[in-house]
Amino acid sequence: MSLTIQDVKRIAHLARIEVTETEAQATLSKLTGILGLIEEMQAVDTTGITPMSHSQDVTQRLRSDVITATNQREAFQKIAPAVEGGLYLVPKVIE
Amino acid sequence: MINQSLKQLAAALATKQISSVELTQLFLDRIKRLNPELNAYITLDEAKTLAQAKLADARIANGEATSVTGIPFAQKDIFCAKGWRTTCGSKMLETFIAPYDAHVITQFDNAGAVNLGKTNMDEFAMGSSNETSYFGKVKNPWDKERVPGGSSGGSAAAMAARLCAAATGTDTGGSIRQPASLCGFTGLKPTYGVVSRYGMIAFASSLDQAGPMAKSAEDCAVMMNVMAGFDERDSTSLQRENEDYSRDLNKPLAGLKIGLPKEYFAEGLSAEVAVVVQEAIAQYRKLGAETVDISLPNTRLSIPVYYVIAPAEASSNLSRYDGVRYGHRAAEYTDLLDMYCKSRAEGFGAEVKRRILIGTYVLSAGYYDAYYLKAQQIRRLIAQDFEAAFNQCDVIMGPSAPGTAFKIGEKADDPVSMYLQDIYTIAVNLAGLPGMSIPAGFANKLPVGLQIIGNYFDEARMLNVAHQYQQATDWHTKMPEGI
Amino acid sequence: MQWEVVIGLETHTQLQTNTKIFSGASIKYGAEPNTQADAVSIALPGVLPVLNAEAVKCAIKFGLAVNAEIAPRSVFARKNYFYPDLPKGYQISQYELPVVGKGSMTIQVGDEEKTIRITRAHLEEDAGKSVHGAQEGMSGIDLNRAGTPLLEIVTEPDMRSAAEAVAYAKKLHELVQWIGICDGNMQEGSFRCDVNVSVRPKGSDKLGTRREIKNLNSFKFMQQAIEYETQWQIDTLEDGGTIHQATVLFNPDTGETRAMRSKEEANDYRYFPDPDLLPLAVSQADIDKVKVTMPELPEAMKARFEQQYGLSAYDASALTASSEIAAYFVATTSALNGDAKLAANWVMGSVSAKLNEADLAFANCPVSAEALASLLKRIADNTISNNAAKQVFEAMWAGEGDADVLIEQKGLKQVSDSGAIEAIVDEVLAANAAMVAEYKAGKEKAFNGLVGQCMKASKGKANPAQVNEILKKKLA
């Protein structure tokens, strides 16, 4: 599976990272190298092997439904780029 | 004082040979002198640090000291610490003052330890040389033209230069063990789930694990007693009884079975490093251990598997940095999409962007099965290799890294050769096993680490294995010249 | 050409828990912006999710209510996309392995019963809200709702008309409230429907391309939106156009649907199992524990009403339309010592009509079930007539007092003294010789006329049954 410049632009858009034309070219060659390294996996026969998402075979622990959080808006919004009236401000959301 | 063990420091504090404020000031002075060149710390806050030392002195005076009360530790800048700038080595979080404490920070605070400052690291822990930090490269105190390893490079340099009594690190693919090897100290990555990840900024959630970086196995055991333990805020934190990691330090090693995986001594390992590692193993035989040849046949696959899984998880973990609620927001943009794309393009460095893009690609429609699913399947094969190996031996030993510290810039433009740095460490993260690196000697005047891999939850035994070696040798006491 | 519409629903129900699905922040509606947005809700670096036990319990309850398979092991995944109301840049949702599997629900459309298959129901987190007009060209983000537990209930494309879709949605709406997992408040967004609509030539078994109408929060809008969308698709196809898969919004002001601009790009959500969460295990013991807390379900209650009270299927269905009406009916009947038919007629009749008129719920009915029963008792023991009881009920509704007091005050007591009634009957017979003659000549109708005269003479208070009986005797 060889990567194209269009692929780089498509994934950069999905990842919301701006890339210039020159960056895209440079990225393409680096990513191609990394994908070459990854490609080694394809030779392995993995038929019937259960994927491993976690190293321990344990199940989810549940939290009891009790309110533990307090209002920390002021502290949290002190580090926000733009707020008004308790809301985080962003350029207009178009639906 | 700077060379004393944590136990000795606790005793000195208890007997009023020195106060915590004095001890802390001693380290702060060393930092002032040496850090400008080494760049081990990103953020220092003397006032906060000394205030903690004062509190510790009061606590000691009240007879309420723990094993670490009043001792100054360096904290990797990946742990959120309330009121401290917490950058994770990234421009994205250049101005981020954490509004809460990570579990690890809380554990040290509750025990009365002193936070000396936040150490430099590869950006979002992605790197093996500390060259990807937005806050500049870190120099290896053993040779300032060389890298300290990564991603916990700042903690590693601080350890080697004695700019702290001990430090914390995190290890996703070798980020504690490889720098421990390159900077000549002892580092432990615990079993996944033993130390809570709460408040530790995520790189690859299923692999990340925090651990101690210290002068000796004994010090690591003291730190593990502080750091480890169940935390209900982390779903992957394991519910186990608390244990004393020092309990087995003094057990003799007679009868210990050490597995030597042939794949760890094959092509790719530098000859000089191989010699040092073999000498260390010979020392273990002298201590009564037996060695047995084993095989971890899927070792070479651990790199491709890791470079699918870690970037995939990272690409998702790093989506929260969008310039909306905290972190970097571009100064100029035309609309929402542009704000996202510019903020993230500006806030992340090249290596982080590369990994986000790789991770996005391997998860994207049409590629998931071939990459992500396949990697998770091979991950199981890798874990099964270890399972089989531990039927033949108690611990596994080999090199921590294929070579000694390399020159700054040497691999910076070649991600693939940089990734191969982690060939001996990555499989341990994929399997979720504990691993450590201890100083085993020198090659060309540069430190070489011996890696010890244990079975799940075998940290106490590994610390015992390391400690017995450190009782018989003095490699772990060596310091760089002129420090 | 004859067209057929094919409809499937995805319903987001906010679960009635105290806290968010993955953190201990309150989910109470209407708080000041971002005051319930804790560290997890705003996705601070380093925070982690821990699953709320109550949300799991709600999912199990729903699974039991629709006879679904409950997965012994289900998995939370990350759905990755960027949106300012989605703080992590991904939504935690169950994807490949949902907690609730295949089930079904029966709906009633007119006289027809129809089974709607439930494909699955899965747990996920809600997003925050964008508030417009905070500043020119800007949106404000409120993350109080982010992380509110949702159960997304997905059907097969089993509905064939807007009426069926609405009947299903209403039934589901009642069911989730019945089992206490959702407050059903549609204005506040507790119950939101996405409707997938496609059309195809009648008789075809191939599905057409569907468009998804997002976020319908009223049944009326749902009906309108589906009707509009169906017609639009038919018109488009008949004009030789093609339908493209799209997400559309319904505009209640124009009654039209239009494609959303922001989600038009091809979505690639890059789902993968969330490494921060472990597989959710639900054992038979867990299910059994929930089972004992389950209320009797509407279907079972309906069957019981038919059997126990001898009610018709229609009545039993109407009286189990909601847990409130059922509870009101049961309380009335038991206070009445079991005269279910009388209670049923009144609950479905006068009481329902009055509540509808006043736009009130049964829980807020000014006349309690016990008060109603005290009135109905007086019908049962012949103290008052059914018509008189209606007058009393009006007065009780207006808060004028108890049934017995009002009956007394208004002088509505029936005359059941046979001597008194006989006197009235004699009087009427004497005064209406012509009618009597007609009756005797075989004109049955005249009898009713005589009864009417007797009732009139008694000012409506004579017991009609007794009047009938005595008249018959006298005319024999």
Side-chain angles (χ1 to χ4, degrees), chain B residues 7 218 221-222 225 243-250 460 463:
Chain B
K7 237 184 185 167
E218 184 196 68
V222 170
N225 284 345
E243 55 181 290
D244 174 8
Y245 289 93
S246 311
R247 65 181 188 273
D248 291 337
L249 286 178
N250 295 315
L463 289 164

Side-chain angles (χ1 to χ4, degrees), chain A residues 41 52, chain B residues 304-306 308-309 369-380 382:
Chain A
M41 295 192 313
M52 178 171 159
Chain B
V305 166
Y306 177 86
V308 169
I309 293 173
D369 287 1
Y371 289 124
Y372 190 77
L373 203 67
K374 186 104 188 167
Q376 295 283 50
Q377 288 175 312
I378 301 175
R379 182 179 182 181
R380 188 168 298 280
I382 290 166

Side-chain angles (χ1 to χ4, degrees), chain B residues 455-475:
Chain B
N455 209 340
Y456 297 110
F457 309 116
D458 255 357
E459 287 85 353
R461 176 186 239 165
M462 293 159 67
L463 289 164
N464 159 238
V465 168
H467 180 67
Q468 289 306 306
Y469 178 82
Q470 292 179 338
Q471 294 300 101
T473 61
D474 64 356
W475 300 116

Side-chain angles (χ1 to χ4, degrees), chain B residues 100 199 235 316-317 320 325-326 340, chain C residues 42-43 45-46 49 78 80 84 87:
Chain B
Y100 78 106
S235 293
S316 177
N317 283 334
R320 67 189 57 200
R325 299 163 313 285
Y326 51 78
Y340 281 151
Chain C
I42 67 166
R78 293 183 181 179
N80 294 284

